Every structure is written in C-alpha cells, then in structure tokens.
Amino acid sequence: MKTKPLRNAPGSYALVFAAGLLAGIATRLTDFCDGSSLWGFHAIATLFGFWIISVTALVLLSSSNLCAGLNAFLYLSGMTLSFYALGFWLDSQVFRYEDAHLDTQLFLLYTGLSLACGVGAFVLYHWEKPSPWGAVLYALPVGALLAEALGVGIYLAGHGTYLFQLLLDIAGVLYFGLRFYRRTKSRPLYLTAVCLTAAVVYFAIYRPFL
C-alpha cells in the first residue's frame, strides 16, 4: 500500500492550512473577473464543486480518518479566513469604501461549513475499510459532482455563464468516478449509489434555482 503524503504531524497540517490561505486569496481575486463572462471565473468558490473536489482529494491524500477530517477543516477554514480577510482589507484600505466591513455572518457560516466538511472527510475515509458500504461512501462525492454538473449545465445553456465550473465538475466526475469504480468492492452498489446521490442532490439543491 502506498504511503499517504499527508500525515498526522504539525508540519503537514501547517502546509494544508497554508494551501487553504492561498486558495482563499486566489478565489477572492477572481471576484474581479467579469460576472457575465462565459467562463464564470468570478464564482469559482461559490458553487460546491470546488469544495467537493478539495475535500475528496484531501481524503485520498490523508493517512487516517482523523488526519482527513483535520486536513479538510484546516484547508477550508484557512480558505474562508483569507477570502473574507482579504475582501475586508481591499474594501477598507484599497478602495476606501465608507461602509467597508467584515461580513461576519457569511464568515461564520462558511467556517461552520468547513467544520461540517471536516466531519464529512472523517466519515468518507472509511471507504478504505474492507466493507461493501465503502461503495456508498465512494459514490457520495461523485454523485454530488454529477448533480452539480447537470445543474450548472442547464444554467449555462440558459444564461451563458459558468463554463469553468461545468468543466471542473465534469473533470471531477470522470477522475474520481473512474478511480473509485476501479477501487470499489461492489460496482453495482457503487453505480446505484452514484445515481441516487445525484438525483437527491440535484432536486434538493440545484433544481430550485433553475
């Protein structure tokens, strides 16, 4: 079995948190992109696909379920911290807006979501266990990405934006979907769970906004 690069060590956690800080800065700067463009770079972190792909990748790279949970929380909380801190600094020090303020409600909301993603990553790591339920855990991120790809594709057809998000979701579905299909112990259960997850997520989260 290959050694996982992300270990239960302070240096490893610090590296993940730093990566989250950089991701938050990068996604905040994309806010300056044209909001009506075909690519939709302004909303990279707005949809869930970016979060799902990040958490899934961290789980795959982590050496234990505790490590996976902490890595997901540190990465996403670091991203949230730098995203809103940079936004406040730009508004108050660069653009000099009189009403510049830190959006505390959204900051706390996404910090809470970061914690929830950490718990989710802790649970998802159990796909490494020799159990048929690992197929269901493998299917959850793939099905969620498939649901978002469908929703974003429909939105793109009607509004002419979010092409980047669509391509990102499709890439995630193909990469993780095929990788987990090869690894799962129960392929019929895996494929069924992917379809059910996609249907539930699509109709519960994306369909109401279309």
Side-chain angles (χ1 to χ4, degrees):
M1 188 177 195
K2 292 182 179 180
T3 302
K4 302 293 183 71
L6 298 180
R7 313 291 296 176
N8 185 24
S12 179
Y13 292 131
L15 183 63
V16 170
F17 185 70
L21 292 174
L22 292 175
I25 292 171
T27 51
R28 170 55 82 178
L29 293 178
T30 61
D31 283 352
F32 294 103
C33 295
D34 183 4
S36 61
S37 71
L38 173 64
W39 289 97
F41 289 122
H42 67 286
I44 290 176
T46 301
L47 299 177
F48 293 118
F50 182 85
W51 292 60
I52 296 170
I53 290 172
S54 298
V55 170
T56 305
L58 286 169
V59 174
L60 286 172
L61 295 172
S62 296
S63 57
S64 69
N65 53 352
L66 177 61
C67 182
L70 288 174
N71 281 330
F73 171 70
L74 288 171
Y75 175 83
L76 294 175
S77 62
M79 178 179 164
T80 299
L81 175 62
S82 60
F83 183 90
Y84 286 101
L86 178 60
F88 174 67
W89 181 80
L90 289 172
D91 288 347
S92 61
Q93 301 300 317
V94 177
F95 302 114
R96 301 288 183 176
Y97 294 142
E98 293 183 0
D99 59 345
H101 65 283
L102 179 65
D103 196 330
T104 307
Q105 288 186 331
L106 283 178
F107 174 75
L108 293 176
L109 172 63
Y110 279 99
T111 299
L113 287 175
S114 300
L115 180 60
C117 287
V119 174
F122 180 92
V123 174
L124 283 179
Y125 191 86
H126 285 87
W127 63 36
E128 300 284 354
K129 307 296 182 182
S131 166
W133 289 109
V136 177
L137 295 177
Y138 278 138
L140 294 179
V142 178
L145 284 171
L146 183 59
E148 181 169 288
L150 177 59
V152 171
I154 295 173
Y155 191 88
L156 172 64
H159 298 82
T161 188
Y162 289 174
L163 177 59
F164 178 79
Q165 283 81 357
L166 176 60
L167 296 177
L168 184 67
D169 290 337
I170 292 174
V173 169
L174 292 176
Y175 177 77
F176 293 124
L178 293 175
R179 178 168 182 165
F180 294 158
Y181 179 80
R182 291 195 294 266
R183 293 176 61 168
T184 184
K185 303 296 183 182
S186 178
R187 290 177 177 177
L189 178 58
Y190 168 73
L191 293 175
T192 301
V194 167
C195 294
L196 288 175
T197 301
V200 170
V201 173
Y202 173 76
F203 285 106
I205 297 178
Y206 297 102
R207 186 68 181 91
F209 295 97
L210 298 175

